[in-house]
């Protein structure tokens, strides 16, 4: 009844719930979790039907199968999760009445696609790129984006704010906004249909009189006002200020040979060529190919991912090679170059229609 009340409250606030039918330790505990291990191929479908029937009238639920576990080789885990998902879909009246993903642990190169990409219940793929700052998460998103049949992909658990880097705060410190922002823009520009945000203090609802898991830094109430908790919206506003559903990744626009480090510049554009976004994590000078864009005259803008503000740049003639110098450079000086076909009359980037 408590879960019912939370789902109803979220609905009253026009919010969606990502609902996990079970945490992964109810299938197997491995090295963490308390269990009990109760689900088998014989009972998982019945449970899925029960919980699916309970919430089939709610249209604000996104079903997340898996519960932070990767299926073990040589086990029945894949069958258990398939049966649970099929039970939910059957109770809801079919696949068209559910929206489902699978929350894995870190896995390379594919996330949920490794085990479930061709399953009819899986509507979108999820990754957990994990809690290390020094990795090219865009590669994992692009891997799933390129799969056939085509399914949307999302990073369901990226580096959290206030999280010990690689769970090793003593040697590597904690995550900082620069790293979290970079991962977010990398993922979405590589083809993800959105991005999740998490905070190490908030997920565990840490308080000063609590024991804390993996070294939280502050009470959860204070963490609600951390920098990235307020900066995530700038990515959303940018993406929705231009045609969203026709957007594709296009790394061919970046001409310079790049190392796979935290200065990696990444590009995305409209499939019709009406606009492009190029993300510069550290404001590095770069050569770009603008020929995939439609108009011969391009309006340029610089969008600040830290503030959501934008200012106009020069009008640029379309060419197959132009050198671009961002307004500032260095760690924490990330920018998005926005290029628009001048004939489209797009509004300022980040301004919602």
């Amino acid at each position: 009844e408590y879960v019912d009340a939370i789902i109803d409250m979220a609905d009253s606030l026009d919010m969606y719930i990502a609902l996990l039918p079970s945490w992964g330790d109810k299938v197997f505990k491995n090295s963490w979790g308390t269990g009990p291990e109760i689900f088998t191929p014989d009972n998982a479908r019945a449970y899925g039907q029960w919980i699916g029937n309970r919430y089939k009238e709610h249209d604000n639920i996104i079903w997340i199968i898996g519960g932070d576990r990767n299926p073990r080789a040589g086990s029945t885990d894949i069958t258990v999760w398939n049966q649970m998902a099929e039970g939910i879909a059957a109770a809801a009246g079919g696949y068209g009445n559910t929206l489902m993903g699978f929350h894995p642990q870190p896995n390379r190169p594919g996330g949920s696609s490794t085990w479930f990409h061709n399953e009819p219940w899986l509507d979108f793929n999820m990754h957990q790129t994990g809690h290390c700052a020094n990795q090219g998460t865009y590669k994992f998103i692009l891997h799933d984006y390129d799969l056939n049949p085509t399914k949307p992909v999302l990073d369901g658990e990226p580096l959290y704010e206030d999280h010990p880097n690689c769970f090793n705060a003593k040697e590597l410190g904690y995550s900082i906004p620069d790293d979290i922002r970079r991962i977010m823009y990398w993922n979405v520009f590589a083809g993800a249909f959105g991005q999740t945000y998490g905070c190490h203090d908030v997920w565990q609802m840490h308080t000063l009189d609590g024991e804390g898991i993996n070294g939280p830094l502050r009470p959860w109430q204070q963490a609600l006002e951390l920098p990235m908790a307020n900066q995530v919206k700038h990515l959303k506003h940018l993406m929705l200020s231009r045609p969203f559903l026709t957007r594709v990744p296009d790394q061919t626009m970046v001409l310079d040979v790049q190392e796979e480090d935290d200065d990696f510049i990444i590009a995305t554009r409209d499939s019709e060529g009406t606009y492009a976004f190029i993300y510069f994590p550290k404001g590095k000078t770069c050569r770009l190919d603008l020929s995939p864009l439609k108009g011969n005259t391009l309006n340029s803008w610089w969008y600040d991912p830290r503030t959501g503000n934008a200012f106009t740049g020069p009008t640029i003639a379309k060419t197959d090679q132009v050198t671009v110098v961002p307004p500032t450079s260095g760690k924490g000086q990330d920018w998005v170059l926005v290029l628009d076909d001048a004939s489209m009359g797009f509004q300022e980037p980040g301004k919602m229609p």
Side-chain angles (χ1 to χ4, degrees), residues 272-275 290-300 314-320 322 339-344:
E272 304 300 318
T274 64
Y275 74 90
L290 308 185
S291 61
L293 298 179
K294 184 175 68 172
N296 291 321
T297 302
L298 304 173
N299 294 332
S300 71
T315 300
I316 302 174
K318 186 171 74 172
T319 176
D320 60 4
V322 63
L339 297 170
D340 294 329
D341 174 0
S343 68
M344 297 300 295

Side-chain angles (χ1 to χ4, degrees), residues 5 7 37 40 53 70 79 82 88 101 106 149-150 160 187-188 210 228 262 286 289 305 315 321 324 327:
I7 293 173
E37 299 175 352
T40 70
N53 186 66
N70 291 343
T79 302
N82 274 330
I88 292 169
T150 302
Y160 286 172
N187 287 346
V188 173
M228 285 309 303
D262 60 5
C286 182
D289 178 5
T315 300
Q321 182 172 312
V324 174

Side-chain angles (χ1 to χ4, degrees), residues 12-78:
S12 72
L13 298 170
D14 294 327
M15 294 176 66
Y16 288 85
I17 292 286
L19 185 64
L20 282 74
S22 172
W23 197 238
D25 63 343
K26 304 306 183 287
V27 175
F28 69 96
K29 289 184 291 187
N30 200 356
S31 61
W32 56 285
T34 59
E37 299 175 352
I38 57 175
F39 289 117
T40 70
D42 297 325
N43 63 20
R45 184 181 179 92
Y47 172 71
Q49 288 177 317
W50 175 83
I51 197 169
N53 186 66
R54 187 178 186 94
Y55 298 118
K56 65 183 179 181
E57 301 301 330
H58 292 77
D59 60 3
N60 66 322
I61 290 177
I62 302 169
W63 295 96
I64 306 297
I65 311 300
D68 203 356
R69 288 293 192 282
N70 291 343
R72 298 166 294 178
S75 74
T76 61
D77 296 348
I78 291 176

Side-chain angles (χ1 to χ4, degrees), residues 89-293:
Y95 305 125
N97 295 325
T98 57
L99 182 60
M100 286 198 209
F102 181 94
H103 183 345
Q105 294 166 290
N107 191 72
R108 307 291 184 262
S112 60
S113 64
T114 305
W115 310 278
F116 303 107
H117 185 73
N118 292 312
E119 297 297 335
W121 58 263
L122 188 83
D123 296 298
F124 60 94
N125 279 304
M126 289 181 70
H127 275 273
Q128 178 183 166
T129 59
H131 301 285
C132 294
N134 59 341
Q135 55 178 332
T137 58
Y138 52 86
K139 294 182 292 184
F140 314 132
I141 297 297
L142 190 58
H143 172 274
D144 282 8
Y145 180 91
D146 285 337
L147 293 176
N148 187 32
T150 302
K151 290 188 176 182
V153 57
L154 177 76
D155 189 349
E157 189 172 333
L159 177 63
Y160 286 172
E161 194 158 20
D162 262 7
H163 198 287
N165 277 315
C166 300
F167 296 89
N168 185 0
K170 184 177 180 179
E171 296 182 10
L172 301 176
Y174 283 76
S175 64
I176 57 175
D178 308 353
D179 294 329
I180 298 170
R181 252 191 340 268
R182 181 183 70 251
I183 290 168
M184 288 183 169
Y185 281 81
W186 269 353
N187 287 346
V188 173
F189 283 26
F193 70 91
Q195 176 70 17
T196 57
Y197 163 82
C199 176
H200 188 51
D201 314 301
V202 173
W203 76 259
Q204 59 186 285
M205 308 302 286
H206 179 63
T207 59
L208 293 179
D209 56 356
E211 183 176 347
I213 301 171
N214 292 323
L217 293 178
R218 70 198 84 225
W220 71 267
Q221 296 94 333
Q222 294 181 11
L224 294 176
E225 297 302 325
L226 284 170
M228 285 309 303
N230 287 289
Q231 293 177 24
V232 178
K233 63 188 176 188
H234 302 324
L235 173 57
K236 171 189 173 182
H237 292 165
L238 173 65
M239 304 315 295
L240 297 183
S241 67
R242 297 293 183 270
F244 181 70
L245 297 179
T246 53
R247 184 181 62 86
V248 296
D250 187 357
Q251 202 57 17
T252 67
M253 294 187 67
V254 181
L255 294 175
D256 291 349
V257 176
Q258 300 191 84
E259 295 182 10
E260 292 184 351
D261 56 18
D262 60 5
D263 208 4
F264 189 85
I265 297 167
I266 194 165
T268 185
R269 64 175 175 85
D270 176 31
S271 62
E272 304 300 318
T274 64
Y275 74 90
F277 298 152
I278 301 93
Y279 178 65
F280 297 76
K282 290 186 177 179
K284 178 175 66 177
T285 299
C286 182
R287 292 177 305 126
L288 300 177
D289 178 5
L290 308 185
S291 61
L293 298 179

